[in-house]
Amino acid sequence: MSVFTPLTPDQVGSWLKRYSLGALERLEGVAEGLQNSNFFVDTVHGRYVLTVFEQFNREELPFFVNLMAHLARHGIPCPTPIANRDNEYVGEIAGKPAIIVTRLGGRSLTQAGVAHCAAIGTLLGDLHVAAQSCGVRQKHQRGAAWRRETAKQLLPLLAADDAALLRDEIRHEAQQVSGELPRGIIHADLFRDNVLFDGERVSGLLDFYFAGVDALLFDLAVAANDWCRGAEEGGELDAARTVALLNAYHAVRPLSEREHLAWPAMLRAAALRFWLSRLLDAHRPRTGELVARRDPDEYRRLLRGHIAANRRQVWIDPPAA
Amino acid sequence: MSVFTPLTPDQVGSWLKRYSLGALERLEGVAEGLQNSNFFVDTVHGRYVLTVFEQFNREELPFFVNLMAHLARHGIPCPTPIANRDNEYVGEIAGKPAIIVTRLGGRSLTQAGVAHCAAIGTLLGDLHVAAQSCGVRQKHQRGAAWRRETAKQLLPLLAADDAALLRDEIRHEAQQVSGELPRGIIHADLFRDNVLFDGERVSGLLDFYFAGVDALLFDLAVAANDWCRGAEEGGELDAARTVALLNAYHAVRPLSEREHLAWPAMLRAAALRFWLSRLLDAHRPRTGELVARRDPDEYRRLLRGHIAANRRQVWIDPPAA
């Protein structure tokens, strides 16, 4: 996360008095991510992450925070929100809503192998199943409606070939029937930098702030687009990694025939979603102490790759039942 | 825990299908403790402990399990119960109620130093404060009423000098005013073998199955009786360790004047409680695959030591405010 709101040890130390976590031992700003300000907080009792929300109101947070708490109590390795002495997860620091969550061990991968993709498939299946009993719901904020609206805003700003590609993709997506696919709460942003690994075991799923209800298959497509590309700079997925991801997922939550058929279009929709948000970031910069920006062209290339693969009728075989 | 109910990997593997924890990788019986059957369970997602309850009915468990969940979500390092796909903590295996909780790192100490006693004081203070907002309550099952009843059962079975000591202690306790001390949920069994340390940091508080509402000071007295004795086999507390425990606790939840005055009697009540339960175990053996038995005489010596110290008017100074 980028640090938009700087905090001092005194500020955090006094804020911690409302919790049962012991005194502050160490405070450090975290320079990764795009949406919030994050800090590593070590206390007498353990290691935590303090997140200050820059873009959410207090009313928007209970969904995300209760989802994390729900998943953690089902054994999904995600940060566990810590309640304060008033028994509330969401507090306030520097006039902004803030939470403190457990800090998980492990490291993000820059290159994922076949075993890592299988581990992600298993965990995404477990996450989708565990989330079924979650008492809070919210729609996915970057769903098809957002993609249509965002495309409208961006079209006047784009070069002719990009505008044509975007128009075609929105039209293509409108022809799909993703509303009839199995739905539920999805993570919706399961990139490599949102996952910690300890060896070949997933030790942490991070950053649930795009989570919401959508086609479950969309989550798999977002993950495949990031995890299953080979080392080369192309716009196509590596078959071995993709099959490992899908088979491992399928073993936990079996994919339906309709989901198999929807897979190529879903890969395109997932690529479109990130091409759009990166274009939006590029045209509307925010400011911060530290800002990470991501390349929209990466997702345009990926999208063109999916379209080409789709045209050649080459896609991944349905996983074995 | 002793293993009273043996379980096979097949049994546990199939039981785990009701959870989102991934497949079983390793199962091992745990040979410590007295009340339940415990197993280390490693799955694809992590390391857990499965507890099969030998002495509780299903209706008695929600208090303990929800207390652990409540404390864990406040950052107290205790095992976190994992919910199954029906969103319930308490399941059933081999016809008995069972739960699965996170397995915490660290090791129990055989000898505790001053820094360890301070860490226990801090954590016990945090536990008492965090438990104030816990929505479930239950009285402490080994409180003054239990001690009176148990003494009645045991008196006919004891040698004359033990019977005299027991009668005197029950009378002494009846003269105290512990009902007017600050009350709340206490752990009530915070011995060294129920705490894991990672260096000088507490990494786990275990075994909440004696927890319930009583005088908060009783919890400190139970802890002092186990943690603050020196290396020698005597019946007196080491002053440096005891002061470290009390001062660290006092910094989190300040002890009142009434609690200072009640301390010597509370040490006696806490020693009496464990002398009684060990006498009861010695007179009423249970059976199991592996059984750990504890020495009642250790707590008789400690009780006599407290009485002697009390008579000499030697007790720990109130902690600095």
Side-chain angles (χ1 to χ4, degrees):
Chain A
M1 305 293 176
S2 308
V3 172
F4 300 97
T5 301
L7 295 178
T8 66
D10 276 358
Q11 247 177 318
V12 175
S14 116
W15 186 74
L16 281 173
K17 295 208 169 81
R18 308 195 53 225
Y19 290 79
S20 301
L21 297 174
L24 180 68
E25 290 185 344
R26 191 165 153 276
L27 176 70
E28 184 193 343
V30 186
E32 283 168 21
L34 292 164
Q35 303 294 318
N36 313 303
S37 298
N38 277 4
F39 300 85
F40 291 143
V41 170
D42 294 359
T43 76
V44 169
H45 294 185
R47 309 180 80 191
Y48 304 92
V49 178
L50 167 59
T51 300
V52 182
F53 294 97
E54 307 290 343
Q55 306 188 332
F56 295 109
N57 297 322
R58 252 181 167 281
E59 309 76 62
E60 296 176 280
L61 289 172
F63 169 71
F64 302 117
V65 177
N66 285 298
L67 173 62
M68 280 191 280
H70 177 88
L71 293 175
R73 77 192 201 98
H74 281 76
I76 304 297
C78 65
T80 311
I82 303 294
N84 62 26
R85 290 181 172 183
D86 298 329
N87 216 11
E88 287 179 357
Y89 289 133
V90 181
E92 190 175 291
I93 192 165
K96 293 175 182 171
I99 61 169
I100 188 162
V101 301
T102 52
R103 180 174 171 188
L104 303 168
R107 313 178 70 92
S108 294
L109 302 176
T110 46
Q111 278 299 318
V114 169
H116 301 118
C117 293
I120 289 298
T122 300
L123 206 46
L124 210 41
D126 277 323
L127 187 157
H128 289 171
V129 172
Q132 283 169 4
S133 58
C134 185
V136 289
R137 300 263 138 180
Q138 175 176 298
K139 77 171 187 180
H140 173 219
Q141 303 291 316
R142 297 289 180 273
W146 176 87
R147 296 194 283 276
R148 276 195 308 276
E149 284 310 306
T150 306
K152 261 189 224 164
Q153 292 172 41
L154 284 167
L155 279 170
L157 307 172
L158 299 182
D161 57 340
D162 279 359
L165 174 62
L166 182 49
R167 232 176 265 117
D168 285 352
E169 278 310 288
I170 294 291
R171 195 176 309 126
H172 174 261
E173 188 168 4
Q175 292 158 359
Q176 308 306 312
V177 287
S178 69
E180 296 174 32
L181 299 172
R183 294 166 69 81
I185 295 175
I186 64 170
H187 180 285
D189 194 31
L190 205 66
F191 282 54
R192 277 162 295 169
D193 55 2
N194 283 333
V195 178
L196 303 174
F197 268 89
D198 178 10
E200 284 179 358
R201 170 176 285 178
V202 178
S203 55
L205 300 183
L206 310 177
D207 213 347
F208 283 79
Y209 303 109
F210 286 110
V213 174
D214 204 336
L216 297 174
L217 196 66
F218 185 83
D219 229 4
L220 265 177
V222 170
N225 279 342
D226 187 66
W227 290 84
C228 300
R229 274 183 282 162
E232 68 290 345
E233 262 297 287
E236 296 197 25
L237 301 188
D238 172 67
R241 286 180 175 82
T242 311
V243 168
L245 175 82
L246 292 175
N247 275 333
Y249 181 92
H250 186 71
V252 181
R253 188 190 72 82
L255 292 162
S256 69
E257 182 61 25
R258 204 186 283 271
E259 287 177 300
H260 292 154
L261 295 172
W263 181 242
M266 199 56 87
L267 286 172
R268 287 168 65 169
L272 176 63
R273 176 255 177 269
F274 289 97
W275 184 40
L276 283 170
S277 60
R278 290 177 180 195
L279 282 172
L280 207 59
D281 278 347
H283 286 89
R284 293 191 190 162
R286 280 167 289 150
T287 55
E289 259 192 20
L290 300 157
V291 173
R293 183 78 42 86
R294 305 195 195 197
D295 179 18
D297 293 350
E298 180 193 356
Y299 268 75
R300 183 182 53 192
R301 277 195 303 276
L302 184 64
L303 184 54
R304 286 196 192 281
H306 286 327
I307 295 167
N310 208 172
R311 232 177 249 131
R312 292 197 311 274
Q313 300 288 319
V314 177
W315 65 67
I316 304 300
D317 286 335
Chain B
M1 303 296 172
S2 307
V3 171
F4 301 96
T5 302
L7 295 177
T8 66
D10 276 358
Q11 247 178 319
V12 174
S14 118
W15 186 74
L16 281 172
K17 295 209 168 81
R18 308 196 51 224
Y19 291 78
S20 299
L21 297 174
L24 180 68
E25 290 185 344
R26 193 167 150 273
L27 175 70
E28 184 193 343
V30 185
E32 283 167 22
L34 293 164
Q35 302 296 317
N36 313 304
S37 297
N38 277 4
F39 300 85
F40 291 144
V41 170
D42 294 359
T43 75
V44 169
H45 294 184
R47 309 180 80 192
Y48 305 91
V49 178
L50 167 59
T51 299
V52 182
F53 294 98
E54 306 291 343
Q55 305 188 333
F56 295 110
N57 297 322
R58 255 183 165 278
E59 310 77 56
E60 297 177 277
L61 290 171
F63 168 72
F64 302 116
V65 177
N66 284 297
L67 173 62
M68 281 192 279
H70 177 88
L71 294 174
R73 78 192 201 99
H74 282 75
I76 304 297
C78 65
T80 310
I82 303 295
N84 62 25
R85 291 183 171 180
D86 297 330
N87 215 13
E88 287 179 356
Y89 289 133
V90 182
E92 191 176 291
I93 192 165
K96 294 175 180 173
I99 61 169
I100 187 163
V101 301
T102 53
R103 180 175 171 186
L104 302 167
R107 312 178 70 91
S108 294
L109 302 176
T110 45
Q111 276 301 317
V114 169
H116 301 118
C117 292
I120 289 300
T122 300
L123 205 48
L124 210 41
D126 277 324
L127 187 157
H128 290 170
V129 172
Q132 283 169 4
S133 57
C134 186
V136 288
R137 300 263 139 180
Q138 176 175 297
K139 77 170 186 179
H140 173 218
Q141 303 290 317
R142 297 288 180 274
W146 176 87
R147 296 194 283 275
R148 275 194 309 276
E149 285 309 308
T150 306
K152 260 189 227 165
Q153 293 173 43
L154 284 169
L155 279 170
L157 309 173
L158 299 183
D161 57 340
D162 280 358
L165 173 62
L166 181 51
R167 233 176 264 116
D168 286 351
E169 279 307 291
I170 293 291
R171 195 176 309 128
H172 174 261
E173 188 169 3
Q175 292 158 359
Q176 309 305 313
V177 287
S178 69
E180 296 173 31
L181 299 172
R183 293 167 69 80
I185 295 174
I186 64 171
H187 181 285
D189 194 30
L190 206 66
F191 280 55
R192 278 162 293 168
D193 56 0
N194 282 332
V195 178
L196 303 174
F197 268 89
D198 178 8
E200 285 180 356
R201 169 175 286 176
V202 178
S203 55
L205 300 184
L206 310 177
D207 212 347
F208 283 78
Y209 303 109
F210 286 109
V213 175
D214 205 334
L216 297 174
L217 196 65
F218 184 83
D219 229 3
L220 264 176
V222 170
N225 279 341
D226 188 66
W227 290 84
C228 300
R229 274 183 281 162
E232 67 289 347
E233 263 296 290
E236 296 197 25
L237 301 189
D238 172 66
R241 286 181 175 82
T242 311
V243 168
L245 174 82
L246 291 174
N247 276 333
Y249 182 91
H250 185 70
V252 181
R253 188 190 73 82
L255 292 162
S256 69
E257 182 59 25
R258 203 187 283 273
E259 286 177 301
H260 292 152
L261 295 172
W263 181 241
M266 200 57 88
L267 286 173
R268 287 168 64 169
L272 176 64
R273 175 254 177 270
F274 289 96
W275 184 40
L276 283 170
S277 60
R278 290 178 181 194
L279 283 172
L280 207 58
D281 278 346
H283 286 88
R284 291 194 192 162
R286 280 168 287 152
T287 55
E289 256 191 24
L290 299 158
V291 173
R293 182 79 41 86
R294 304 194 197 199
D295 179 17
D297 293 349
E298 180 192 355
Y299 268 75
R300 183 182 53 192
R301 277 195 302 277
L302 184 65
L303 184 54
R304 289 198 190 279
H306 286 327
I307 295 167
N310 207 172
R311 235 177 247 132
R312 292 196 311 274
Q313 301 287 318
V314 177
W315 64 67
I316 303 302
D317 286 335

